[in-house]
PDB file of all heavy atoms in Angstrom:
ATOM      1  N   ASN A   1      15.649   0.085   4.120  1.00 61.00           N
ATOM      2  CA  ASN A   1      16.968   0.058   4.766  1.00 61.00           C
ATOM      3  C   ASN A   1      16.897  -0.105   6.276  1.00 61.00           C
ATOM      4  O   ASN A   1      17.809  -0.646   6.882  1.00 61.00           O
ATOM      5  CB  ASN A   1      17.741   1.346   4.432  1.00 61.00           C
ATOM      6  CG  ASN A   1      18.007   1.449   2.949  1.00 61.00           C
ATOM      7  OD1 ASN A   1      18.055   0.445   2.252  1.00 61.00           O
ATOM      8  ND2 ASN A   1      18.165   2.668   2.460  1.00 61.00           N
ATOM      9  N   SER A   2      15.838   0.347   6.899  1.00 61.00           N
ATOM     10  CA  SER A   2      15.719   0.249   8.349  1.00 61.00           C
ATOM     11  C   SER A   2      15.192  -1.121   8.774  1.00 61.00           C
ATOM     12  O   SER A   2      14.884  -1.326   9.932  1.00 61.00           O
ATOM     13  CB  SER A   2      14.786   1.343   8.887  1.00 61.00           C
ATOM     14  OG  SER A   2      13.468   1.093   8.443  1.00 61.00           O
ATOM     15  N   SER A   3      15.122  -2.032   7.828  1.00 66.00           N
ATOM     16  CA  SER A   3      14.621  -3.398   8.013  1.00 66.00           C
ATOM     17  C   SER A   3      13.189  -3.417   8.541  1.00 66.00           C
ATOM     18  O   SER A   3      12.767  -4.348   9.198  1.00 66.00           O
ATOM     19  CB  SER A   3      15.544  -4.220   8.914  1.00 66.00           C
ATOM     20  OG  SER A   3      15.463  -3.804  10.259  1.00 66.00           O
ATOM     21  N   LYS A   4      12.451  -2.367   8.245  1.00 77.00           N
ATOM     22  CA  LYS A   4      11.049  -2.297   8.611  1.00 77.00           C
ATOM     23  C   LYS A   4      10.214  -2.779   7.418  1.00 77.00           C
ATOM     24  O   LYS A   4      10.369  -2.289   6.307  1.00 77.00           O
ATOM     25  CB  LYS A   4      10.667  -0.865   8.977  1.00 77.00           C
ATOM     26  CG  LYS A   4       9.273  -0.719   9.496  1.00 77.00           C
ATOM     27  CD  LYS A   4       9.002   0.710   9.921  1.00 77.00           C
ATOM     28  CE  LYS A   4       7.568   0.851  10.377  1.00 77.00           C
ATOM     29  NZ  LYS A   4       7.259   2.238  10.696  1.00 77.00           N
ATOM     30  N   ALA A   5       9.344  -3.751   7.678  1.00 80.00           N
ATOM     31  CA  ALA A   5       8.524  -4.300   6.601  1.00 80.00           C
ATOM     32  C   ALA A   5       7.514  -3.252   6.127  1.00 80.00           C
ATOM     33  O   ALA A   5       6.934  -2.533   6.933  1.00 80.00           O
ATOM     34  CB  ALA A   5       7.779  -5.540   7.086  1.00 80.00           C
ATOM     35  N   PRO A   6       7.306  -3.166   4.811  1.00 85.00           N
ATOM     36  CA  PRO A   6       6.300  -2.232   4.305  1.00 85.00           C
ATOM     37  C   PRO A   6       4.906  -2.655   4.764  1.00 85.00           C
ATOM     38  O   PRO A   6       4.660  -3.831   5.027  1.00 85.00           O
ATOM     39  CB  PRO A   6       6.420  -2.343   2.790  1.00 85.00           C
ATOM     40  CG  PRO A   6       7.486  -3.310   2.495  1.00 85.00           C
ATOM     41  CD  PRO A   6       7.973  -3.903   3.749  1.00 85.00           C
ATOM     42  N   ARG A   7       4.015  -1.691   4.880  1.00 87.00           N
ATOM     43  CA  ARG A   7       2.620  -1.967   5.237  1.00 87.00           C
ATOM     44  C   ARG A   7       1.733  -1.460   4.109  1.00 87.00           C
ATOM     45  O   ARG A   7       1.971  -0.393   3.551  1.00 87.00           O
ATOM     46  CB  ARG A   7       2.244  -1.275   6.539  1.00 87.00           C
ATOM     47  CG  ARG A   7       2.897  -1.882   7.744  1.00 87.00           C
ATOM     48  CD  ARG A   7       2.299  -1.265   9.013  1.00 87.00           C
ATOM     49  NE  ARG A   7       2.890  -1.841  10.192  1.00 87.00           N
ATOM     50  CZ  ARG A   7       2.428  -2.911  10.836  1.00 87.00           C
ATOM     51  NH1 ARG A   7       1.367  -3.513  10.379  1.00 87.00           N
ATOM     52  NH2 ARG A   7       3.012  -3.360  11.906  1.00 87.00           N
ATOM     53  N   LEU A   8       0.715  -2.236   3.833  1.00 89.00           N
ATOM     54  CA  LEU A   8      -0.203  -1.907   2.757  1.00 89.00           C
ATOM     55  C   LEU A   8      -1.593  -1.671   3.333  1.00 89.00           C
ATOM     56  O   LEU A   8      -2.112  -2.498   4.076  1.00 89.00           O
ATOM     57  CB  LEU A   8      -0.256  -3.058   1.746  1.00 89.00           C
ATOM     58  CG  LEU A   8      -1.066  -2.832   0.489  1.00 89.00           C
ATOM     59  CD1 LEU A   8      -0.425  -1.751  -0.378  1.00 89.00           C
ATOM     60  CD2 LEU A   8      -1.183  -4.122  -0.292  1.00 89.00           C
ATOM     61  N   HIS A   9      -2.175  -0.536   3.019  1.00 88.00           N
ATOM     62  CA  HIS A   9      -3.548  -0.207   3.407  1.00 88.00           C
ATOM     63  C   HIS A   9      -4.409  -0.358   2.153  1.00 88.00           C
ATOM     64  O   HIS A   9      -4.228   0.368   1.181  1.00 88.00           O
ATOM     65  CB  HIS A   9      -3.641   1.231   3.931  1.00 88.00           C
ATOM     66  CG  HIS A   9      -2.799   1.486   5.140  1.00 88.00           C
ATOM     67  ND1 HIS A   9      -3.266   1.304   6.411  1.00 88.00           N
ATOM     68  CD2 HIS A   9      -1.508   1.882   5.261  1.00 88.00           C
ATOM     69  CE1 HIS A   9      -2.304   1.587   7.277  1.00 88.00           C
ATOM     70  NE2 HIS A   9      -1.226   1.936   6.603  1.00 88.00           N
ATOM     71  N   LEU A  10      -5.347  -1.290   2.199  1.00 88.00           N
ATOM     72  CA  LEU A  10      -6.169  -1.581   1.025  1.00 88.00           C
ATOM     73  C   LEU A  10      -7.405  -0.704   0.911  1.00 88.00           C
ATOM     74  O   LEU A  10      -8.023  -0.644  -0.142  1.00 88.00           O
ATOM     75  CB  LEU A  10      -6.598  -3.050   1.046  1.00 88.00           C
ATOM     76  CG  LEU A  10      -5.449  -4.045   0.950  1.00 88.00           C
ATOM     77  CD1 LEU A  10      -5.943  -5.452   1.220  1.00 88.00           C
ATOM     78  CD2 LEU A  10      -4.791  -3.952  -0.413  1.00 88.00           C
ATOM     79  N   HIS A  11      -7.784  -0.042   1.996  1.00 85.00           N
ATOM     80  CA  HIS A  11      -8.970   0.817   2.018  1.00 85.00           C
ATOM     81  C   HIS A  11     -10.214   0.035   1.593  1.00 85.00           C
ATOM     82  O   HIS A  11     -10.947   0.443   0.697  1.00 85.00           O
ATOM     83  CB  HIS A  11      -8.789   2.048   1.133  1.00 85.00           C
ATOM     84  CG  HIS A  11      -7.576   2.851   1.446  1.00 85.00           C
ATOM     85  ND1 HIS A  11      -7.428   3.547   2.630  1.00 85.00           N
ATOM     86  CD2 HIS A  11      -6.419   3.044   0.757  1.00 85.00           C
ATOM     87  CE1 HIS A  11      -6.244   4.150   2.637  1.00 85.00           C
ATOM     88  NE2 HIS A  11      -5.616   3.851   1.529  1.00 85.00           N
ATOM     89  N   THR A  12     -10.451  -1.104   2.258  1.00 79.00           N
ATOM     90  CA  THR A  12     -11.623  -1.914   1.923  1.00 79.00           C
ATOM     91  C   THR A  12     -12.873  -1.475   2.680  1.00 79.00           C
ATOM     92  O   THR A  12     -13.974  -1.656   2.180  1.00 79.00           O
ATOM     93  CB  THR A  12     -11.359  -3.406   2.226  1.00 79.00           C
ATOM     94  OG1 THR A  12     -10.941  -3.529   3.579  1.00 79.00           O
ATOM     95  CG2 THR A  12     -10.304  -3.971   1.311  1.00 79.00           C
ATOM     96  N   LEU A  13     -12.703  -0.924   3.855  1.00 80.00           N
ATOM     97  CA  LEU A  13     -13.869  -0.505   4.639  1.00 80.00           C
ATOM     98  C   LEU A  13     -14.472   0.786   4.111  1.00 80.00           C
ATOM     99  O   LEU A  13     -15.685   0.954   4.096  1.00 80.00           O
ATOM    100  CB  LEU A  13     -13.491  -0.359   6.112  1.00 80.00           C
ATOM    101  CG  LEU A  13     -12.995  -1.653   6.765  1.00 80.00           C
ATOM    102  CD1 LEU A  13     -12.493  -1.395   8.171  1.00 80.00           C
ATOM    103  CD2 LEU A  13     -14.098  -2.686   6.768  1.00 80.00           C
ATOM    104  N   ALA A  14     -13.637   1.697   3.701  1.00 83.00           N
ATOM    105  CA  ALA A  14     -14.065   2.924   3.038  1.00 83.00           C
ATOM    106  C   ALA A  14     -13.353   2.918   1.686  1.00 83.00           C
ATOM    107  O   ALA A  14     -12.266   3.468   1.535  1.00 83.00           O
ATOM    108  CB  ALA A  14     -13.677   4.144   3.846  1.00 83.00           C
ATOM    109  N   PRO A  15     -13.924   2.225   0.695  1.00 86.00           N
ATOM    110  CA  PRO A  15     -13.238   1.975  -0.574  1.00 86.00           C
ATOM    111  C   PRO A  15     -12.711   3.237  -1.257  1.00 86.00           C
ATOM    112  O   PRO A  15     -13.377   4.262  -1.309  1.00 86.00           O
ATOM    113  CB  PRO A  15     -14.308   1.302  -1.428  1.00 86.00           C
ATOM    114  CG  PRO A  15     -15.273   0.724  -0.458  1.00 86.00           C
ATOM    115  CD  PRO A  15     -15.265   1.660   0.714  1.00 86.00           C
ATOM    116  N   LYS A  16     -11.488   3.107  -1.722  1.00 89.00           N
ATOM    117  CA  LYS A  16     -10.835   4.166  -2.497  1.00 89.00           C
ATOM    118  C   LYS A  16     -10.262   3.534  -3.751  1.00 89.00           C
ATOM    119  O   LYS A  16     -10.112   2.328  -3.838  1.00 89.00           O
ATOM    120  CB  LYS A  16      -9.727   4.818  -1.668  1.00 89.00           C
ATOM    121  CG  LYS A  16     -10.271   5.515  -0.432  1.00 89.00           C
ATOM    122  CD  LYS A  16      -9.187   6.210   0.346  1.00 89.00           C
ATOM    123  CE  LYS A  16      -9.842   6.903   1.543  1.00 89.00           C
ATOM    124  NZ  LYS A  16      -8.909   7.448   2.457  1.00 89.00           N
ATOM    125  N   SER A  17      -9.898   4.351  -4.714  1.00 91.00           N
ATOM    126  CA  SER A  17      -9.366   3.839  -5.981  1.00 91.00           C
ATOM    127  C   SER A  17      -7.875   3.548  -5.895  1.00 91.00           C
ATOM    128  O   SER A  17      -7.270   3.143  -6.874  1.00 91.00           O
ATOM    129  CB  SER A  17      -9.636   4.840  -7.101  1.00 91.00           C
ATOM    130  OG  SER A  17      -8.971   6.065  -6.821  1.00 91.00           O
ATOM    131  N   TYR A  18      -7.300   3.740  -4.728  1.00 90.00           N
ATOM    132  CA  TYR A  18      -5.863   3.513  -4.564  1.00 90.00           C
ATOM    133  C   TYR A  18      -5.594   2.746  -3.279  1.00 90.00           C
ATOM    134  O   TYR A  18      -6.454   2.612  -2.418  1.00 90.00           O
ATOM    135  CB  TYR A  18      -5.107   4.851  -4.535  1.00 90.00           C
ATOM    136  CG  TYR A  18      -5.531   5.769  -3.414  1.00 90.00           C
ATOM    137  CD1 TYR A  18      -4.953   5.678  -2.152  1.00 90.00           C
ATOM    138  CD2 TYR A  18      -6.512   6.725  -3.620  1.00 90.00           C
ATOM    139  CE1 TYR A  18      -5.335   6.517  -1.118  1.00 90.00           C
ATOM    140  CE2 TYR A  18      -6.915   7.567  -2.588  1.00 90.00           C
ATOM    141  CZ  TYR A  18      -6.317   7.465  -1.349  1.00 90.00           C
ATOM    142  OH  TYR A  18      -6.714   8.285  -0.330  1.00 90.00           O
ATOM    143  N   VAL A  19      -4.373   2.221  -3.188  1.00 91.00           N
ATOM    144  CA  VAL A  19      -3.876   1.628  -1.951  1.00 91.00           C
ATOM    145  C   VAL A  19      -2.835   2.587  -1.401  1.00 91.00           C
ATOM    146  O   VAL A  19      -2.266   3.399  -2.141  1.00 91.00           O
ATOM    147  CB  VAL A  19      -3.254   0.227  -2.173  1.00 91.00           C
ATOM    148  CG1 VAL A  19      -4.297  -0.755  -2.670  1.00 91.00           C
ATOM    149  CG2 VAL A  19      -2.065   0.285  -3.116  1.00 91.00           C
ATOM    150  N   THR A  20      -2.588   2.529  -0.111  1.00 90.00           N
ATOM    151  CA  THR A  20      -1.549   3.345   0.502  1.00 90.00           C
ATOM    152  C   THR A  20      -0.464   2.407   1.001  1.00 90.00           C
ATOM    153  O   THR A  20      -0.736   1.467   1.741  1.00 90.00           O
ATOM    154  CB  THR A  20      -2.097   4.179   1.667  1.00 90.00           C
ATOM    155  OG1 THR A  20      -3.170   4.998   1.175  1.00 90.00           O
ATOM    156  CG2 THR A  20      -1.018   5.081   2.252  1.00 90.00           C
ATOM    157  N   LEU A  21       0.748   2.673   0.583  1.00 89.00           N
ATOM    158  CA  LEU A  21       1.888   1.846   0.942  1.00 89.00           C
ATOM    159  C   LEU A  21       2.805   2.649   1.854  1.00 89.00           C
ATOM    160  O   LEU A  21       3.256   3.736   1.474  1.00 89.00           O
ATOM    161  CB  LEU A  21       2.630   1.429  -0.329  1.00 89.00           C
ATOM    162  CG  LEU A  21       3.818   0.515  -0.182  1.00 89.00           C
ATOM    163  CD1 LEU A  21       3.374  -0.870   0.278  1.00 89.00           C
ATOM    164  CD2 LEU A  21       4.552   0.402  -1.501  1.00 89.00           C
ATOM    165  N   GLU A  22       3.040   2.142   3.074  1.00 87.00           N
ATOM    166  CA  GLU A  22       4.015   2.755   3.976  1.00 87.00           C
ATOM    167  C   GLU A  22       5.366   2.129   3.655  1.00 87.00           C
ATOM    168  O   GLU A  22       5.583   0.944   3.923  1.00 87.00           O
ATOM    169  CB  GLU A  22       3.655   2.470   5.432  1.00 87.00           C
ATOM    170  CG  GLU A  22       2.443   3.184   5.939  1.00 87.00           C
ATOM    171  CD  GLU A  22       2.140   2.833   7.386  1.00 87.00           C
ATOM    172  OE1 GLU A  22       3.045   2.396   8.126  1.00 87.00           O
ATOM    173  OE2 GLU A  22       0.973   2.976   7.771  1.00 87.00           O
ATOM    174  N   HIS A  23       6.260   2.910   3.071  1.00 83.00           N
ATOM    175  CA  HIS A  23       7.550   2.389   2.632  1.00 83.00           C
ATOM    176  C   HIS A  23       8.629   3.455   2.849  1.00 83.00           C
ATOM    177  O   HIS A  23       8.458   4.600   2.449  1.00 83.00           O
ATOM    178  CB  HIS A  23       7.473   2.007   1.144  1.00 83.00           C
ATOM    179  CG  HIS A  23       8.704   1.353   0.626  1.00 83.00           C
ATOM    180  ND1 HIS A  23       9.643   2.021  -0.099  1.00 83.00           N
ATOM    181  CD2 HIS A  23       9.141   0.080   0.736  1.00 83.00           C
ATOM    182  CE1 HIS A  23      10.609   1.193  -0.425  1.00 83.00           C
ATOM    183  NE2 HIS A  23      10.323   0.008   0.078  1.00 83.00           N
ATOM    184  N   ASN A  24       9.715   3.076   3.490  1.00 80.00           N
ATOM    185  CA  ASN A  24      10.821   4.003   3.783  1.00 80.00           C
ATOM    186  C   ASN A  24      10.326   5.254   4.509  1.00 80.00           C
ATOM    187  O   ASN A  24      10.768   6.366   4.231  1.00 80.00           O
ATOM    188  CB  ASN A  24      11.564   4.407   2.509  1.00 80.00           C
ATOM    189  CG  ASN A  24      12.456   3.313   1.985  1.00 80.00           C
ATOM    190  OD1 ASN A  24      12.908   2.446   2.733  1.00 80.00           O
ATOM    191  ND2 ASN A  24      12.709   3.328   0.689  1.00 80.00           N
ATOM    192  N   GLY A  25       9.376   5.079   5.399  1.00 80.00           N
ATOM    193  CA  GLY A  25       8.875   6.204   6.189  1.00 80.00           C
ATOM    194  C   GLY A  25       7.940   7.129   5.450  1.00 80.00           C
ATOM    195  O   GLY A  25       7.576   8.181   5.970  1.00 80.00           O
ATOM    196  N   GLN A  26       7.553   6.778   4.241  1.00 85.00           N
ATOM    197  CA  GLN A  26       6.650   7.625   3.464  1.00 85.00           C
ATOM    198  C   GLN A  26       5.373   6.860   3.123  1.00 85.00           C
ATOM    199  O   GLN A  26       5.388   5.640   2.974  1.00 85.00           O
ATOM    200  CB  GLN A  26       7.308   8.061   2.153  1.00 85.00           C
ATOM    201  CG  GLN A  26       8.513   8.939   2.324  1.00 85.00           C
ATOM    202  CD  GLN A  26       9.084   9.325   0.970  1.00 85.00           C
ATOM    203  OE1 GLN A  26       9.078   8.544   0.030  1.00 85.00           O
ATOM    204  NE2 GLN A  26       9.575  10.552   0.882  1.00 85.00           N
ATOM    205  N   ASP A  27       4.290   7.597   2.969  1.00 89.00           N
ATOM    206  CA  ASP A  27       3.044   7.023   2.477  1.00 89.00           C
ATOM    207  C   ASP A  27       2.971   7.265   0.978  1.00 89.00           C
ATOM    208  O   ASP A  27       3.044   8.417   0.519  1.00 89.00           O
ATOM    209  CB  ASP A  27       1.826   7.663   3.152  1.00 89.00           C
ATOM    210  CG  ASP A  27       1.628   7.181   4.576  1.00 89.00           C
ATOM    211  OD1 ASP A  27       2.288   6.198   4.979  1.00 89.00           O
ATOM    212  OD2 ASP A  27       0.806   7.788   5.293  1.00 89.00           O
ATOM    213  N   ILE A  28       2.855   6.186   0.219  1.00 91.00           N
ATOM    214  CA  ILE A  28       2.795   6.258  -1.239  1.00 91.00           C
ATOM    215  C   ILE A  28       1.413   5.779  -1.669  1.00 91.00           C
ATOM    216  O   ILE A  28       0.977   4.696  -1.273  1.00 91.00           O
ATOM    217  CB  ILE A  28       3.883   5.371  -1.875  1.00 91.00           C
ATOM    218  CG1 ILE A  28       5.265   5.788  -1.373  1.00 91.00           C
ATOM    219  CG2 ILE A  28       3.809   5.423  -3.390  1.00 91.00           C
ATOM    220  CD1 ILE A  28       6.357   4.786  -1.691  1.00 91.00           C
ATOM    221  N   HIS A  29       0.724   6.572  -2.478  1.00 92.00           N
ATOM    222  CA  HIS A  29      -0.577   6.180  -3.023  1.00 92.00           C
ATOM    223  C   HIS A  29      -0.355   5.587  -4.406  1.00 92.00           C
ATOM    224  O   HIS A  29       0.270   6.202  -5.258  1.00 92.00           O
ATOM    225  CB  HIS A  29      -1.530   7.375  -3.125  1.00 92.00           C
ATOM    226  CG  HIS A  29      -1.867   7.982  -1.798  1.00 92.00           C
ATOM    227  ND1 HIS A  29      -2.549   7.293  -0.816  1.00 92.00           N
ATOM    228  CD2 HIS A  29      -1.618   9.204  -1.287  1.00 92.00           C
ATOM    229  CE1 HIS A  29      -2.693   8.072   0.236  1.00 92.00           C
ATOM    230  NE2 HIS A  29      -2.138   9.242  -0.021  1.00 92.00           N
ATOM    231  N   ILE A  30      -0.882   4.387  -4.612  1.00 92.00           N
ATOM    232  CA  ILE A  30      -0.771   3.710  -5.909  1.00 92.00           C
ATOM    233  C   ILE A  30      -2.180   3.316  -6.327  1.00 92.00           C
ATOM    234  O   ILE A  30      -2.905   2.678  -5.561  1.00 92.00           O
ATOM    235  CB  ILE A  30       0.116   2.449  -5.809  1.00 92.00           C
ATOM    236  CG1 ILE A  30       1.501   2.806  -5.267  1.00 92.00           C
ATOM    237  CG2 ILE A  30       0.238   1.778  -7.170  1.00 92.00           C
ATOM    238  CD1 ILE A  30       2.370   1.601  -4.937  1.00 92.00           C
ATOM    239  N   ASN A  31      -2.564   3.687  -7.536  1.00 93.00           N
ATOM    240  CA  ASN A  31      -3.885   3.317  -8.036  1.00 93.00           C
ATOM    241  C   ASN A  31      -4.012   1.802  -8.073  1.00 93.00           C
ATOM    242  O   ASN A  31      -3.078   1.112  -8.478  1.00 93.00           O
ATOM    243  CB  ASN A  31      -4.124   3.883  -9.439  1.00 93.00           C
ATOM    244  CG  ASN A  31      -4.404   5.362  -9.405  1.00 93.00           C
ATOM    245  OD1 ASN A  31      -4.923   5.885  -8.423  1.00 93.00           O
ATOM    246  ND2 ASN A  31      -4.049   6.050 -10.481  1.00 93.00           N
ATOM    247  N   LYS A  32      -5.167   1.302  -7.662  1.00 92.00           N
ATOM    248  CA  LYS A  32      -5.381  -0.142  -7.620  1.00 92.00           C
ATOM    249  C   LYS A  32      -5.242  -0.783  -8.999  1.00 92.00           C
ATOM    250  O   LYS A  32      -4.809  -1.914  -9.115  1.00 92.00           O
ATOM    251  CB  LYS A  32      -6.757  -0.460  -7.025  1.00 92.00           C
ATOM    252  CG  LYS A  32      -6.828  -0.200  -5.541  1.00 92.00           C
ATOM    253  CD  LYS A  32      -8.192  -0.529  -4.977  1.00 92.00           C
ATOM    254  CE  LYS A  32      -8.224  -0.261  -3.483  1.00 92.00           C
ATOM    255  NZ  LYS A  32      -9.554  -0.501  -2.915  1.00 92.00           N
ATOM    256  N   ASN A  33      -5.587  -0.044 -10.047  1.00 91.00           N
ATOM    257  CA  ASN A  33      -5.472  -0.617 -11.386  1.00 91.00           C
ATOM    258  C   ASN A  33      -4.035  -0.610 -11.911  1.00 91.00           C
ATOM    259  O   ASN A  33      -3.781  -1.064 -13.021  1.00 91.00           O
ATOM    260  CB  ASN A  33      -6.420   0.088 -12.367  1.00 91.00           C
ATOM    261  CG  ASN A  33      -6.107   1.552 -12.529  1.00 91.00           C
ATOM    262  OD1 ASN A  33      -5.167   2.090 -11.932  1.00 91.00           O
ATOM    263  ND2 ASN A  33      -6.915   2.232 -13.314  1.00 91.00           N
ATOM    264  N   GLU A  34      -3.085  -0.108 -11.113  1.00 93.00           N
ATOM    265  CA  GLU A  34      -1.677  -0.096 -11.510  1.00 93.00           C
ATOM    266  C   GLU A  34      -0.853  -1.190 -10.829  1.00 93.00           C
ATOM    267  O   GLU A  34       0.361  -1.250 -11.013  1.00 93.00           O
ATOM    268  CB  GLU A  34      -1.044   1.265 -11.199  1.00 93.00           C
ATOM    269  CG  GLU A  34      -1.600   2.387 -12.045  1.00 93.00           C
ATOM    270  CD  GLU A  34      -0.998   3.734 -11.674  1.00 93.00           C
ATOM    271  OE1 GLU A  34      -0.096   3.786 -10.815  1.00 93.00           O
ATOM    272  OE2 GLU A  34      -1.444   4.734 -12.257  1.00 93.00           O
ATOM    273  N   ILE A  35      -1.516  -2.043 -10.036  1.00 93.00           N
ATOM    274  CA  ILE A  35      -0.790  -3.146  -9.407  1.00 93.00           C
ATOM    275  C   ILE A  35      -1.547  -4.446  -9.652  1.00 93.00           C
ATOM    276  O   ILE A  35      -2.762  -4.461  -9.806  1.00 93.00           O
ATOM    277  CB  ILE A  35      -0.567  -2.943  -7.892  1.00 93.00           C
ATOM    278  CG1 ILE A  35      -1.880  -2.934  -7.116  1.00 93.00           C
ATOM    279  CG2 ILE A  35       0.230  -1.702  -7.617  1.00 93.00           C
ATOM    280  CD1 ILE A  35      -1.690  -2.939  -5.609  1.00 93.00           C
ATOM    281  N   PHE A  36      -0.792  -5.533  -9.726  1.00 94.00           N
ATOM    282  CA  PHE A  36      -1.400  -6.854  -9.854  1.00 94.00           C
ATOM    283  C   PHE A  36      -1.784  -7.382  -8.478  1.00 94.00           C
ATOM    284  O   PHE A  36      -2.879  -7.871  -8.277  1.00 94.00           O
ATOM    285  CB  PHE A  36      -0.424  -7.817 -10.536  1.00 94.00           C
ATOM    286  CG  PHE A  36      -0.913  -9.242 -10.557  1.00 94.00           C
ATOM    287  CD1 PHE A  36      -1.892  -9.637 -11.438  1.00 94.00           C
ATOM    288  CD2 PHE A  36      -0.385 -10.172  -9.682  1.00 94.00           C
ATOM    289  CE1 PHE A  36      -2.354 -10.946 -11.451  1.00 94.00           C
ATOM    290  CE2 PHE A  36      -0.832 -11.485  -9.683  1.00 94.00           C
ATOM    291  CZ  PHE A  36      -1.824 -11.871 -10.575  1.00 94.00           C
ATOM    292  N   GLY A  37      -0.845  -7.292  -7.530  1.00 94.00           N
ATOM    293  CA  GLY A  37      -1.128  -7.828  -6.215  1.00 94.00           C
ATOM    294  C   GLY A  37      -0.013  -7.566  -5.231  1.00 94.00           C
ATOM    295  O   GLY A  37       0.897  -6.774  -5.486  1.00 94.00           O
ATOM    296  N   TYR A  38      -0.061  -8.271  -4.113  1.00 94.00           N
ATOM    297  CA  TYR A  38       0.929  -8.097  -3.054  1.00 94.00           C
ATOM    298  C   TYR A  38       1.229  -9.443  -2.419  1.00 94.00           C
ATOM    299  O   TYR A  38       0.440 -10.388  -2.519  1.00 94.00           O
ATOM    300  CB  TYR A  38       0.425  -7.111  -1.995  1.00 94.00           C
ATOM    301  CG  TYR A  38      -0.885  -7.480  -1.357  1.00 94.00           C
ATOM    302  CD1 TYR A  38      -0.931  -8.242  -0.185  1.00 94.00           C
ATOM    303  CD2 TYR A  38      -2.090  -7.077  -1.918  1.00 94.00           C
ATOM    304  CE1 TYR A  38      -2.136  -8.579   0.395  1.00 94.00           C
ATOM    305  CE2 TYR A  38      -3.301  -7.416  -1.343  1.00 94.00           C
ATOM    306  CZ  TYR A  38      -3.319  -8.164  -0.184  1.00 94.00           C
ATOM    307  OH  TYR A  38      -4.511  -8.511   0.394  1.00 94.00           O
ATOM    308  N   GLN A  39       2.394  -9.529  -1.787  1.00 94.00           N
ATOM    309  CA  GLN A  39       2.791 -10.747  -1.091  1.00 94.00           C
ATOM    310  C   GLN A  39       2.901 -10.465   0.390  1.00 94.00           C
ATOM    311  O   GLN A  39       3.581  -9.527   0.802  1.00 94.00           O
ATOM    312  CB  GLN A  39       4.129 -11.255  -1.624  1.00 94.00           C
ATOM    313  CG  GLN A  39       4.564 -12.553  -0.976  1.00 94.00           C
ATOM    314  CD  GLN A  39       5.782 -13.132  -1.646  1.00 94.00           C
ATOM    315  OE1 GLN A  39       5.862 -13.168  -2.859  1.00 94.00           O
ATOM    316  NE2 GLN A  39       6.738 -13.579  -0.860  1.00 94.00           N
ATOM    317  N   LEU A  40       2.215 -11.273   1.184  1.00 92.00           N
ATOM    318  CA  LEU A  40       2.291 -11.148   2.636  1.00 92.00           C
ATOM    319  C   LEU A  40       3.608 -11.710   3.145  1.00 92.00           C
ATOM    320  O   LEU A  40       4.301 -12.440   2.435  1.00 92.00           O
ATOM    321  CB  LEU A  40       1.135 -11.900   3.299  1.00 92.00           C
ATOM    322  CG  LEU A  40      -0.274 -11.388   3.022  1.00 92.00           C
ATOM    323  CD1 LEU A  40      -1.297 -12.282   3.715  1.00 92.00           C
ATOM    324  CD2 LEU A  40      -0.435  -9.953   3.470  1.00 92.00           C
ATOM    325  N   ALA A  41       3.922 -11.399   4.392  1.00 87.00           N
ATOM    326  CA  ALA A  41       5.160 -11.881   5.007  1.00 87.00           C
ATOM    327  C   ALA A  41       5.210 -13.407   5.053  1.00 87.00           C
ATOM    328  O   ALA A  41       6.290 -13.992   5.002  1.00 87.00           O
ATOM    329  CB  ALA A  41       5.311 -11.297   6.408  1.00 87.00           C
TER     330      ALA A  41
END
């Protein structure tokens, strides 16, 4: 709603089993095996 684009942290340098999504002012952890992919701006 604040017209702020979401940001995705892939954790490639220090690999983790999840990605972190900054969305609506919150950090959301989503397991990598629960998403197909993402679209850049």
Side-chain angles (χ1 to χ4, degrees):
N1 297 335
S2 67
S3 72
K4 186 176 177 184
R7 289 189 179 269
L8 186 67
H9 299 270
L10 297 170
H11 305 293
T12 54
L13 299 174
K16 296 183 179 172
S17 62
Y18 60 87
V19 297
T20 303
L21 182 68
E22 289 179 22
H23 185 260
N24 285 335
Q26 295 180 324
D27 285 348
I28 303 167
H29 297 296
I30 303 171
N31 285 332
K32 288 180 180 177
N33 62 1
E34 293 178 4
I35 65 172
F36 173 76
Y38 57 92
Q39 182 172 316
L40 295 178

